[in-house]
Amino acid sequence: MTQARRTATEPRRQPKQERSRERIDAILSTTMKLIGEKGIDAVTMKEVGMLAGGPIATVYHYFPNKSAILAMLYERFSEISRARLADIIADVREAKDVIVAADRLLDDYLSRVAGDPAIQDLQNAIQADKALKNLDIAETRRQARMFCDHVIGLIEPPKHEQFERIVLLIFQLAGGVVRLALAEGEAESRRTIEDYRSIIHTQLRLFL
């Protein structure tokens, strides 16, 4: 990623004092609330500043643009995702547990995204912004690596490289499948998720 892209999606300064952290938390929570109410495109930096309890200059003091706010919101979402991933894979002790963990991860992700319109809109915005999409790909690689590192001992060594590639694809495709499912009717949505679950099972069983 180029320096220009990093600058566009990074906060202007990292909070060191409690007051600064509180201001950033207020900006982020306000932005997320507005996203849920009206969608990302309709949210402005000025409105965020007003509703977060300060002038727009306060928002620009920490964030150069809306993309930088979205990037931090995405990072916080990802931090929670990593923690939940760690909890789920901690229960993997034998080969049969790998598929169980994959099911739990899919269901957990679907539940989190389906239960919050703001998260849905945030995920869609991430895919539409090239710099943010690069952050998403990097995060997907990180979480796929976490999964692989924990279960790789259950896989025959000659299959390690291929297993890692398949896990990365499973993780990357999950976002698109969930977005598709959420855009469909209830019955079709269930079929989409179950079809993807079947694909995951088939692929993982090749290594277990």
Side-chain angles (χ1 to χ4, degrees):
M1 191 183 299
T2 66
Q3 181 63 38
R5 286 178 184 165
R6 284 198 300 271
T7 301
T9 59
E10 288 183 353
R12 290 189 188 277
R13 60 191 68 212
Q14 296 295 334
K16 296 180 180 179
Q17 298 180 347
E18 181 64 24
R19 185 175 180 182
S20 294
R21 288 192 289 270
E22 289 175 354
R23 292 297 304 135
I24 285 183
D25 287 344
I27 291 168
L28 294 177
S29 62
T30 298
T31 303
M32 204 65 178
K33 181 175 182 293
L34 289 171
I35 289 172
E37 291 175 350
K38 57 202 302 187
I40 283 176
D41 290 342
V43 176
T44 66
M45 298 282 276
K46 181 178 180 180
E47 185 177 22
V48 169
M50 290 174 56
L51 295 178
I56 188 173
T58 302
V59 180
Y60 281 112
H61 179 73
Y62 295 107
F63 299 98
N65 50 46
K66 191 164 66 174
S67 287
I69 299 178
L70 298 182
M72 186 170 283
L73 283 171
Y74 177 73
E75 173 56 27
R76 293 199 174 186
F77 175 82
S78 297
E79 287 173 357
I80 296 172
S81 297
R82 281 178 235 131
R84 295 167 83 105
L85 168 61
D87 286 343
I88 290 172
I89 61 177
D91 293 331
V92 176
R93 295 180 177 84
E94 51 187 307
K96 66 180 180 63
D97 298 332
V98 176
I99 290 179
V100 173
D103 279 345
R104 289 179 62 193
L105 286 169
L106 178 60
D107 291 338
D108 183 70
Y109 179 68
L110 174 62
S111 176
R112 291 176 67 202
V113 177
D116 191 338
I119 291 178
Q120 296 178 39
D121 214 2
L122 176 62
Q123 296 282 23
N124 289 334
I126 293 297
Q127 298 305 312
D129 185 307
K130 189 172 183 180
L132 294 178
K133 190 172 183 178
N134 285 336
L135 295 179
D136 180 58
I137 293 171
E139 180 62 30
T140 300
R141 291 184 182 278
R142 181 174 182 176
Q143 293 186 29
R145 171 50 54 193
M146 287 176 62
F147 186 91
C148 288
D149 285 349
H150 190 83
V151 308
I152 202 71
L154 302 172
I155 310 298
E156 296 177 3
K159 297 181 178 181
H160 283 187
E161 183 180 353
Q162 185 180 8
F163 177 74
E164 291 169 353
R165 294 200 307 270
I166 292 298
V167 168
L168 177 60
L169 285 175
I170 288 172
F171 274 61
Q172 182 63 40
L173 293 173
V177 170
V178 167
R179 286 193 297 276
L180 173 62
L182 293 177
E184 298 173 325
E186 185 176 348
E188 191 174 2
S189 174
R190 285 198 300 270
R191 286 195 297 269
T192 295
I193 293 298
E194 292 312 309
D195 285 346
Y196 186 57
R197 194 188 309 278
S198 177
I199 291 171
I200 293 173
H201 289 186
T202 298
Q203 291 300 313
L204 292 181
R205 286 193 181 107
L206 296 174
F207 302 93
L208 300 172

